Amino acid sequence: MSTTIEREKPILHGVEVPRCTSCNRPIAPSEKAVRFLCPNCGKIEIWRCWYCRKHGIPYKCPVCGFEGP
């Protein structure tokens, strides 16, 4: 007598790549980027790609609206 046990199939999720807060471009793991908490509210992580940092493109916190260079 054999019984078959049905198991749930695993749910596979891809790796979520961070995006630049200024330009919304995906940031590769090898890219020279920076991440920091919002200087005003500290509730959200801000990601900045090398291009936006170099050219001083502003970013805006989606929680409190703080804008920085």
Side-chain angles (χ1 to χ4, degrees):
M1 178 189 243
S2 68
T3 58
T4 304
I5 300 173
E6 288 189 34
R7 297 183 182 159
E8 290 184 33
K9 292 183 180 179
I11 299 172
L12 302 176
H13 298 285
V15 176
E16 206 168 300
V17 178
R19 294 187 166 271
C20 177
T21 305
S22 299
C23 67
N24 203 31
R25 198 172 61 79
I27 298 174
S30 60
E31 186 176 340
K32 300 224 179 198
V34 67
R35 70 176 178 175
F36 54 92
L37 292 176
C38 172
N40 190 44
C41 69
K43 294 181 180 177
I44 194 147
E45 211 172 49
I46 305 286
W47 280 89
R48 304 266 288 152
C49 70
W50 69 271
Y51 182 86
C52 291
R53 289 177 62 210
K54 181 178 178 181
H55 296 286
I57 297 173
Y59 64 88
K60 185 175 182 180
C61 175
V63 174
C64 69
F66 176 80
E67 291 187 30

